């Protein structure tokens, strides 16, 4: 079935380090891909998205590229800040069943000053 | 008001109580969702309402009862809960039938069952 797999956390980095959070997916159709972020005490909010192969989503210095050949959508940021500490969720939707949003298990990121 | 609003933000209830969680969206969306988020567990999809009809019910115990009176409002009625039901309950909405749609989440209700 359709699924999203993302790297286990927690991930702890120092401020200004390079960040990669891996995400791969399995889907029967042509999914749209998303990264959501959840700050402490809050709900999830959309960070970025990509809707077709080779699209790059970007926001707040984060980027992710839709790679159909490797079924991946890895999240990257060149220089993380303490304020980026949060839980990050990779997700997909399929146009054929757009009411179904499939989330990965989440990766907790902690940034040390 | 904008976005997705959940009330209350925090709720403590005994196992014999009956309470309800409320979610309201002001985005004109036609689908609404309840998710359960427990510590150290993945997000669990509980219910999906699309065009005010329940389209998904992921084997949720009957002590959780959803209600969607219109496309803007979603309730989760709770009765005789167990301590393991303590979690963050998240509501979301989206526009089904539109490609590339994303979900918008409320801030959640932190539920503690004592």
């Amino acid at each position: 079935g359709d699924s999203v797999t993302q790297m286990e956390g927690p991930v702890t980095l120092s401020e200004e380090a390079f960040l990669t959070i891996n995400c791969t997916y399995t889907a029967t159709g042509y999914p749209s891909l998303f990264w959501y972020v959840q700050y402490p005490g809050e709900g999830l909010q959309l960070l970025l998205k990509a809707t077709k192969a080779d699209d790059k989503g970007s926001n707040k210095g984060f980027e992710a590229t839709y790679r159909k050949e490797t079924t991946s959508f890895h999240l990257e940021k060149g220089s993380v800040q303490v304020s980026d500490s949060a839980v990050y969720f990779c997700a997909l939707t399929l146009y054929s069943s757009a009411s179904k949003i499939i989330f990965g298990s989440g990766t907790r990121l902690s940034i040390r000053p | 008001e904008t976005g997705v609003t959940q009330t209350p933000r925090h709720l403590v209830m005994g196992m014999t109580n009956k309470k309800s969680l409320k979610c309201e969206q002001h985005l004109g969306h036609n689908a609404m969702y309840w998710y359960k988020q427990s510590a150290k567990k993945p997000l669990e999809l509980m219910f999906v309402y699309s065009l005010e009809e329940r389209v998904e019910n992921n084997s949720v115990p009957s002590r959780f009862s959803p209600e969607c009176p219109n496309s803007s409002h979603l309730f989760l009625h709770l009765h005789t809960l167990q301590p393991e039901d303590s979690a963050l309950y998240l509501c979301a909405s989206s526009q089904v039938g539109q490609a590339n749609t994303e979900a918008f989440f409320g801030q959640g209700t932190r539920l503690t069952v004592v």
Side-chain angles (χ1 to χ4, degrees):
Chain A
D2 306 315
S3 66
V4 174
T5 302
Q6 58 183 107
M7 63 190 290
E8 294 277 333
V11 174
T12 303
L13 296 172
S14 297
E15 204 165 20
E16 299 183 3
F18 184 86
L19 168 71
T20 300
I21 300 178
N22 290 337
C23 171
T24 57
Y25 67 89
T26 302
T28 51
Y30 298 96
S32 294
L33 301 174
F34 307 84
W35 277 101
Y36 288 83
V37 59
Q38 184 179 29
Y39 298 105
E42 301 292 326
L44 280 69
Q45 55 185 275
L46 181 70
L47 179 61
L48 53 83
K49 69 178 180 181
T51 59
K52 61 182 188 297
D54 300 325
D55 268 3
K56 177 186 282 187
S58 60
N59 186 25
K60 300 182 181 180
F62 290 88
E63 293 182 339
T65 301
Y66 189 139
R67 301 284 188 202
K68 187 178 177 183
E69 62 277 12
T70 54
T71 62
S72 65
F73 192 55
H74 304 321
L75 183 68
E76 297 182 335
K77 186 173 185 181
S79 176
V80 292
Q81 306 300 312
V82 172
S83 57
D84 294 326
S85 299
V87 182
Y88 293 81
F89 293 88
C90 187
L92 68 83
T93 61
L94 291 165
Y95 186 69
S96 58
S97 58
S99 63
K100 194 167 186 176
I101 307 170
I102 299 169
F103 285 92
S105 56
T107 302
R108 182 173 299 278
L109 173 66
S110 296
I111 307 300
R112 294 186 297 252
Chain B
E1 292 194 36
T2 59
V4 180
T5 304
Q6 289 186 243
T7 53
R9 290 292 308 274
H10 300 274
L11 178 63
V12 179
M13 60 186 288
M15 289 190 282
T16 57
N17 291 159
K18 289 186 180 181
K19 296 286 184 184
S20 296
L21 310 185
K22 180 182 176 182
C23 178
E24 188 172 0
Q25 58 98 0
H26 303 275
L27 300 167
H29 289 162
N30 58 14
M32 296 187 78
Y33 310 76
W34 279 117
Y35 286 87
K36 177 183 178 182
Q37 188 177 32
S38 305
K40 300 183 180 179
K41 285 188 177 180
L43 271 174
E44 299 174 49
L45 178 63
M46 301 176 73
F47 303 104
V48 181
Y49 277 83
S50 177
L51 301 172
E52 300 167 38
E53 288 191 20
R54 192 190 309 179
V55 296
E56 189 141 348
N57 176 349
N58 281 348
S59 303
V60 179
S62 59
R63 57 186 184 269
F64 295 91
S65 174
E67 178 189 4
C68 186
N70 55 61
S71 60
S72 300
H73 294 86
L74 183 66
F75 295 89
L76 187 63
H77 303 300
L78 315 172
H79 65 98
T80 59
L81 294 193
Q82 304 298 311
E84 60 265 27
D85 297 322
S86 299
L88 181 67
Y89 288 84
L90 292 166
C91 174
S93 70
S94 71
Q95 186 64 17
V96 173
Q98 176 180 306
N100 318 321
T101 185
E102 68 256 32
F104 290 78
F105 283 80
Q107 292 183 301
T109 295
R110 173 70 62 186
L111 173 67
T112 303
V113 180
V114 297

